[in-house]
Amino acid sequence: MAYNDQKNDLQLWLKSFFGLSFIAPYDVEDAFVELISTCPNIADGQLFSDYVLETYVEPGCLFPPILWAETPSLNPRTTNGAESFHRTYNAQFTSAHPLTFVVISTLMETQAETVTNLSTISKGKIKPKSKEELKKIEFVNKQHEEYLKNKTPENLLKL
């Protein structure tokens, strides 16, 4: 697979698509066009890029950029809270069909934990970000500032 092959130009090109989520929604289409123009292997890249265009970029698509593209900020970038909950919840069970009292016990523990978290948040106590997370945020913000200083289609891909 090209995505996992460290010596493949197509791998670097595919990873560039993640950068689209760090620019303003109104810049996504221009950045996408620039990204397509740099594809090292049109035969392999066309199928993927057509899917991304039709699903995430072009007007009237299923998931327009206004839903997923955002300039860097301190806000969490995830929109996958439900999936995170289900992954954690499902990890509590060791079988496909757990006993009823095990499910009820797990639900009660989850509810107690949620009430505690909501209480903590309502009191204004928020878990501070780790040093590693703050470094990542700072790096992305600096890259975005550099991009804004020299905003050209080529620089959209350097973010």
Side-chain angles (χ1 to χ4, degrees):
M1 290 182 86
Y3 185 81
N4 292 325
D5 183 359
Q6 297 295 324
K7 298 175 186 168
N8 190 323
D9 288 336
L10 187 59
Q11 179 240 19
L12 295 174
W13 181 78
L14 287 169
K15 286 186 175 185
S16 296
F17 277 86
F18 290 113
L20 292 174
S21 67
F22 290 100
I23 59 176
Y26 53 82
D27 284 335
V28 169
E29 194 168 351
D30 290 340
F32 180 82
V33 170
E34 185 64 29
L35 190 54
I36 296 304
S37 73
T38 63
C39 182
N41 184 336
I42 296 299
D44 291 336
Q46 186 173 3
L47 183 64
F48 176 74
S49 60
D50 284 350
Y51 168 76
V52 171
L53 175 66
E54 293 168 7
T55 309
Y56 297 101
V57 178
E58 68 185 2
C61 62
L62 187 58
F63 301 104
I66 194 72
L67 294 178
W68 53 266
E70 178 185 6
T71 56
S73 69
L74 292 176
N75 297 328
R77 294 205 47 94
T78 184
T79 56
N80 222 347
E83 185 175 319
S84 174
F85 168 80
H86 284 107
R87 183 180 55 246
T88 303
Y89 178 74
N90 288 335
Q92 303 296 314
F93 304 107
T94 57
S95 70
H97 304 285
L99 299 172
T100 305
F101 76 89
V102 173
V103 173
I104 292 171
S105 175
T106 300
L107 286 172
M108 291 175 72
E109 288 174 17
T110 302
Q111 181 181 9
E113 183 179 326
T114 302
V115 168
T116 302
N117 288 341
L118 289 173
S119 176
T120 302
I121 292 168
S122 70
K123 291 178 182 175
K125 297 178 182 177
I126 299 172
K127 179 181 172 186
K129 295 183 183 336
S130 68
K131 287 182 182 180
E132 182 180 316
E133 192 174 359
L134 288 172
K135 283 182 182 180
K136 287 179 184 178
I137 291 170
E138 183 180 336
F139 174 77
V140 170
N141 283 331
K142 282 183 181 179
Q143 294 297 312
H144 189 258
E145 287 173 18
E146 288 298 316
Y147 154 70
L148 290 175
K149 288 178 186 174
N150 188 17
K151 194 173 179 181
T152 63
E154 298 83 23
N155 287 338
L156 286 168
L157 301 180
K158 293 179 182 175
L159 181 63

